[in-house]
Amino acid sequence: MIEDLTEALQARAEELRGAAEELERIEAALAALRGSKTVRTDGRPRHPGGQQALVLEAAAEAPGSTGAQLAVSTGVGSPAIYAVIRRLVDLGQLRRDDDKRLWVV
């Protein structure tokens, strides 16, 4: 029984991994279509710290955005966006309110 459950969970994890990769490609394509000059077509920043700059710029343009909204507007993948946000909050450059909305400090 445990073996069957383990195999089922491994198969599902593999399915979701493919979906996550597809989401990142779609987000990168959206960013490219919006004419973002700071993001490559694959969604990676052009320079170190680029994702932080993208997130700060997007948060300044849309104060009170959520992490998910910033992920879409920047083309930064969903897992990465939260690490970037956490770093910016720790650095005191972003503030998160009780509703998890983000504001540039």
Side-chain angles (χ1 to χ4, degrees):
M1 179 172 169
I2 292 177
E3 223 172 276
D4 292 339
L5 181 58
T6 300
E7 287 177 21
L9 289 173
Q10 287 173 335
R12 183 64 179 143
E14 190 60 37
E15 290 173 19
L16 293 174
R17 196 170 292 112
E21 291 169 3
E22 181 181 4
L23 175 61
E24 287 184 21
R25 287 191 302 273
I26 289 170
E27 289 172 337
L30 286 169
L33 288 171
R34 289 188 187 103
S36 175
K37 295 183 180 5
T38 57
V39 177
R40 296 178 180 145
T41 56
D42 66 0
R44 293 179 299 148
R46 291 191 183 278
H47 53 82
Q51 288 181 334
Q52 290 181 21
L54 284 173
V55 171
L56 283 172
E57 182 180 318
E61 290 175 3
S65 295
T66 63
Q69 290 167 331
L70 291 176
V72 170
S73 68
T74 61
V76 175
S78 294
I81 194 81
Y82 294 103
V84 172
I85 289 169
R86 188 172 34 256
R87 238 182 341 257
L88 291 170
V89 168
D90 289 346
L91 292 170
Q93 295 179 325
L94 273 183
R95 177 179 58 85
R96 182 183 290 126
D97 67 16
D98 293 338
D99 294 327
K100 299 194 180 195
R101 298 202 171 269
L102 299 158
W103 309 88
V104 176
V105 177

